[in-house]
Amino acid sequence: MGILLAIIVGVASILNLMYGQNQPIQYLLTVLSVISLIIYRGKRTKRVHYNGYGQNYFTIGFTICILSFVGTVGILIGILFHLA
């Protein structure tokens, strides 16, 4: 559910940037992106071992949620500072 919400919010945020640049809608999309991070129920990291060294990586689903959040916040900052 969190991944689907993140994808929808990301696409809506890009469409808002391209066609509307409506600031209240971007606030709402940013809040929905934070909610998608909170309600994500899947595994967030996986541990990979290479020659005895352990690395933690984000899973694909959580990466989609993170990228949606970073994108919506970036677009919001661009709209707030009149960069977009």
Side-chain angles (χ1 to χ4, degrees):
M1 183 68 181
I3 298 172
L4 180 63
L5 181 63
I7 291 171
I8 291 171
V9 166
V11 170
S13 185
I14 291 171
L15 290 175
N16 183 35
L17 175 67
M18 288 173 44
Y19 298 116
Q21 292 188 1
N22 193 348
Q23 193 172 354
I25 290 177
Q26 193 62 39
Y27 282 126
L28 176 69
L29 292 172
T30 304
V31 169
L32 287 175
S33 181
V34 170
I35 290 172
S36 77
L37 283 172
I38 293 170
I39 66 171
Y40 178 72
R41 298 278 183 201
K43 192 171 180 171
R44 294 174 189 254
T45 59
K46 64 179 177 179
R47 188 153 179 92
V48 180
H49 295 282
Y50 295 111
N51 298 330
Y53 297 105
Q55 296 283 333
N56 285 335
Y57 295 108
F58 286 140
T59 59
I60 299 296
F62 193 60
T63 303
I64 291 171
C65 293
I66 291 287
L67 287 177
S68 172
F69 173 71
V70 169
T72 55
V73 168
I75 291 172
L76 179 64
I77 290 171
I79 290 174
L80 285 176
F81 291 134
H82 303 288
L83 299 174

